[in-house]
Amino acid sequence: MSAVTAARSRRSGAWRAFLRDREGMSGLLVLVLFGLLALLAPVLADPAGLDVTKAEGASVAPPSWDFLLGTDHYGRSVLTMVLHGGQVTLLVGLAATVISMILGTLIGIASGHFRGLTGGTLNRLTEWFLVIPYLPLAIVLATVFPADVPKLFAVIIVIGVTSWSSTARLVRAQTMAIEARPYLERAKALGGGHWHQMTRHVLPNVMPLVLANTTLTVSIAIIAETTLSFLGLGDPLRMSWGRILDDAYSQGAIDRGAWWWIVFPGVAVVLVVRAFNMCGRALERILDPRLEGR
């Protein structure tokens, strides 16, 4: 019972510390705002407004009372596109991060726990992914992905399987530090197997690190989705912030002076990425006492 109470006390103390962190709370409020806008997008803006055959505005019209963020070349509301595009961008970012965190955590723990050929092979695999430039690898995989796989699913898989290496590296280092602690030696002496050691002793101790790194990985995944969509490798049937920017670039929004077509989706990407980074930095300060006061 005392162990359970101590765990609850640590979680409660970490939450209170996060509430006192101005940077973390500012980022959290921004994320809550964008999350609500994405969830309420069908209520705030009719999805029919994304259909080019039902566009009601003038082509490339600046912001007005009728269209608060202006229109695109089809006469569609940029506000409608940004609201609905946030659903896809956030979905891809979060889903890809889940895949990345699972792969990074499993490979990191295994490479730090096992010695010999198994641990060495996993460590070399992690280093290989670290050395190869992340974005070009994602572009290549997105290009060669089977055509019969839904594009949105393909983008999630591509981002997830190319962004786990940094997490694995951090988890491996933490695992090796935990392996040297006395209670791990005691578990081995009492006959605890590899699965018992990794799940009951190592995993709970690396989860705070994984949690802090998750918020930083989401921002990377969102940037990757925006980049792939901007390059025309995203789902052409779904609106996203990257696709809005791709349409604006291909239609010469800069030359036509349609700044609203580029600024508003671009600002949305910057704010969400910055908010996740702010939350991640706050969690790092809370979970790592060495960063306290910096």
Side-chain angles (χ1 to χ4, degrees), residues 176-190 197 201:
M176 296 180 68
I178 295 171
E179 292 278 341
R181 295 177 182 175
Y183 61 83
L184 253 297
E185 296 294 334
R186 184 167 59 249
K188 295 176 183 178
L190 293 175
Q197 296 173 39
H201 299 288

Side-chain angles (χ1 to χ4, degrees), residues 90-129:
L90 292 176
L91 172 63
V92 172
L94 294 174
T97 299
V98 170
I99 296 175
S100 175
M101 289 299 102
I102 292 175
L103 288 176
T105 302
L106 293 178
I107 294 176
I109 291 178
S111 63
H113 175 78
F114 291 106
R115 300 294 186 266
L117 180 61
T118 301
T121 302
L122 292 175
N123 187 35
R124 294 298 176 270
L125 178 65
T126 303
E127 292 177 347
W128 186 80
F129 271 90

Side-chain angles (χ1 to χ4, degrees), residues 197-282:
Q197 296 173 39
M198 290 189 293
T199 57
R200 296 294 299 274
H201 299 288
V202 178
L203 182 60
N205 284 282
V206 302
M207 282 309 296
L209 177 65
V210 173
L211 177 61
N213 193 58
T214 296
T215 56
L216 301 175
T217 305
V218 175
S219 61
I220 297 175
I222 290 176
I223 292 177
E225 188 280 330
T226 303
T227 303
L228 293 177
S229 296
F230 179 75
L231 295 175
L233 299 176
D235 191 341
L237 302 178
R238 296 177 182 271
M239 186 62 63
S240 69
W241 292 338
R243 184 185 166 192
I244 298 173
L245 294 173
D246 178 37
D247 290 341
Y249 177 78
S250 62
Q251 295 298 323
I254 298 177
D255 295 334
R256 300 166 73 170
W259 55 268
W260 58 90
W261 198 356
I262 300 173
V263 168
F264 293 119
V267 168
V269 173
V270 171
L271 287 178
V272 170
V273 169
R274 176 58 179 161
F276 273 114
N277 285 334
M278 291 167 68
C279 291
R281 287 164 55 88

Side-chain angles (χ1 to χ4, degrees), residues 7 23 29 40 48 50 68-69 81-82 95 101 108 112-113 151 156 175-176 187 216 223 225 232 234:
E23 184 180 16
L29 290 176
L40 298 176
L50 300 176
L68 297 179
L69 302 187
M81 293 192 295
V82 170
M101 289 299 102
H113 175 78
K151 201 66 175 179
I156 293 174
T175 299
M176 296 180 68
L216 301 175
I223 292 177
E225 188 280 330

